[in-house]
DNA sequence: GAAGAACATTCCATATGGTGGAACCTAGCA
DNA sequence: TGCTAGGTTCCACCATATGGAATGTTCTTC
């Protein structure tokens, strides 16, 4: 390989492969899946076990991810650490709601999805990390905006163009200001088909130690399945609780990065 | 190298090295720390970035752990996943108490420490993952035992030898039964210098969906700093809350493995 | 308990891919 | 603009990664 890293890439991809088997996996299955001979896999696994990236159960002889992965995860900082901390809470929320749940952060004047658990239902919201949303037409954006420090919020609002995406989109600054006031009172934001027809969501802010928002938790669903009032009644408290739990654990990892 | 994995071990150790720099690190510092030439580190980093194990900030050019680590951490199962989920909660508990906190699980007839955050104080409890404790003379052991399914608890009690370690150790089965009844009522267990003079602790069980214990959260401290009644009053509720939070998030990851 | 099959581990000749010094490029600062 | 520090690319060569074959281990069946 021109790159000089064939062995390394093979080993790293083997870690990823082991990770796809939460119940453990045999050397021979790994070899078959990777299309490599057993001695090659064996040697790579030896290095992986030696460094703790994988481990081998002494009884079942199956390989699984090793303690080094969790140790590394706990060393992560910033947004990635927030994802690690938030993941179990998001998983619980997804289980409670049976809808798609999102973790989001502010990036410049947009919201970016940082983690996402897509519902199992036939009709469900899709999404994936990296997707960007307009701040004024997303529940995540409004939840964050409402709980930013006033100076930060003011800076963003000054630059914001309120593009009208649907007939429901808030496209006047006075209306947005009223909406943000309401979000602050309620502690959560809604999106009632404001970005995309047929899509509703509720989102609650994740707050740092000073009470300033640095992210949001969102539950999104098809409008056909949830009237707005029922979503507010049923899903908003769950989103708020999840955001509160994440805030309690992650306050130290946050910080506005606008 | 006789082992056929020099390049692989170097790359994996480089991940570990990057992990020790939560604020990011330069290529040249990594090279200096590892005692390897820059082109070697550069090539290894290229493979690590390509597979997501590390990433490079486009602005600062610093390397940090990448999204693959958190993705893998979220794929872990069993005890390792419990550690990942519990870590932020343990960190909060450590911060609330300024004492050493432990995550523990039952392994056969003993308690094993699975994670540990050691306090900063001059006089503090030490500990590290892997340390084993007698089940009858540790708050973790008693907390778990009291909330096991009766059949499981009975099996363990039938085999248990109540070694007397200090003058406070419970060394009669009738006394232990009474103590376990009390633990069940209170929802937490204590260790009042029962395993080691000068050491007190409180522990609360981590329960699975069926209400059966599969682990425990413990706060331990020097007896010189905490009278037992004050520990019960101040630290027990915090341990209980932490165990409750972990239980709520991790119920799916538990399961007795006695 | 013995035999067979499946799986894991070790061996080793060899070719190929990892290595690192040198050269070159880029970015930041005075 | 020139200099320095840091990062990236190049490439000859030899050290190491490779994988087929042999050997060892474990499990299952009779």
């Amino acid at each position: 390989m021109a790159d000089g890293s064939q062995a390394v890439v093979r080993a790293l991809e083997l870690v990823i492969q082991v990770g796809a088997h939460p119940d453990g996996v045999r050397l021979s299955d790994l070899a078959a899946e990777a299309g490599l001979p057993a001695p090659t896999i064996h040697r790579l696994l030896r290095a992986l076990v030696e460094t703790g990236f994988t481990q081998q159960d002494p009884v079942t002889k199956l390989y699984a991810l090793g303690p080094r992965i969790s140790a590394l995860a706990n060393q992560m900082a910033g947004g990635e650490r927030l994802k690690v901390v938030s993941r179990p809470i998001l998983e619980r929320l997804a289980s409670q709601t049976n809808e798609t749940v999102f973790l989001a952060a502010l990036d410049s004047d947009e919201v970016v999805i940082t983690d996402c658990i897509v519902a199992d239902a036939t009709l469900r919201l899709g999404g994936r990390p990296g997707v960007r949303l307009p701040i004024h037409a997303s529940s995540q954006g409004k939840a964050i905006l409402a709980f930013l420090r006033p100076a930060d919020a003011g800076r963003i609002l000054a630059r914001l163009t309120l593009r009208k995406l649907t007939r429901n989109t808030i496209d006047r600054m006075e209306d947005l200001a009223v909406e943000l006031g309401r979000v602050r009172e309620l502690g959560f934001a809604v999106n009632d088909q404001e970005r995309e027809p047929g899509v509703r969501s509720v989102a609650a802010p994740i707050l740092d130690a000073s009470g300033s928002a640095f992210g949001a938790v969102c539950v999104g669903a098809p409008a056909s399945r949830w009237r707005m009032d029922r979503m507010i009644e049923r899903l908003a408290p769950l989103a708020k609780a999840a955001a509160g739990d994440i805030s309690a654990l992650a306050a130290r990892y946050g910080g506005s990065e606008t």
Side-chain angles (χ1 to χ4, degrees), chain A residues 105-205:
Chain A
L106 196 57
D107 186 15
S108 295
D109 298 350
E110 286 179 301
V111 167
V112 58
I113 302 299
T114 54
D115 204 5
C116 172
I117 303 176
V118 176
D120 267 347
T122 306
L123 181 67
R124 74 271 173 103
L125 259 65
R128 54 173 205 285
V131 169
R132 305 178 80 84
L133 306 174
I135 195 166
H136 71 292
S138 61
S139 56
Q140 301 99 314
K142 291 191 285 185
I144 296 173
L145 209 39
F147 287 89
L148 282 183
R149 274 178 286 257
D152 293 337
R155 237 181 331 255
I156 291 169
L157 290 170
R159 310 197 281 253
L160 210 45
T161 301
L162 303 187
R163 271 185 309 143
K164 190 169 182 70
L165 301 161
T166 73
R167 76 208 269 175
N168 285 5
T169 314
I170 294 170
D171 62 349
R172 294 170 3 124
M173 206 52 82
E174 312 89 74
D175 295 341
L176 184 59
V178 170
E179 175 78 355
L180 296 181
R182 215 163 66 107
V183 173
R184 274 189 291 268
E185 267 180 50
L186 295 172
F188 65 89
V190 304
N191 169 1
D192 190 4
Q193 306 191 68
E194 290 158 47
R195 180 175 52 90
E196 184 174 341
V199 176
R200 289 194 172 107
S201 66
V202 289

Side-chain angles (χ1 to χ4, degrees), chain A residues 2 8 11 13 15 19 38-39 45 63 68 81 101 114 134 138 158 174 188 196 200 209 241 253 257:
Chain A
V8 171
E13 285 177 345
V15 178
L45 280 172
Y63 289 91
R68 181 64 67 185
R81 175 72 170 141
V101 299
T114 54
S138 61
E174 312 89 74
F188 65 89
E196 184 174 341
R200 289 194 172 107
Y253 311 127
E257 274 164 359

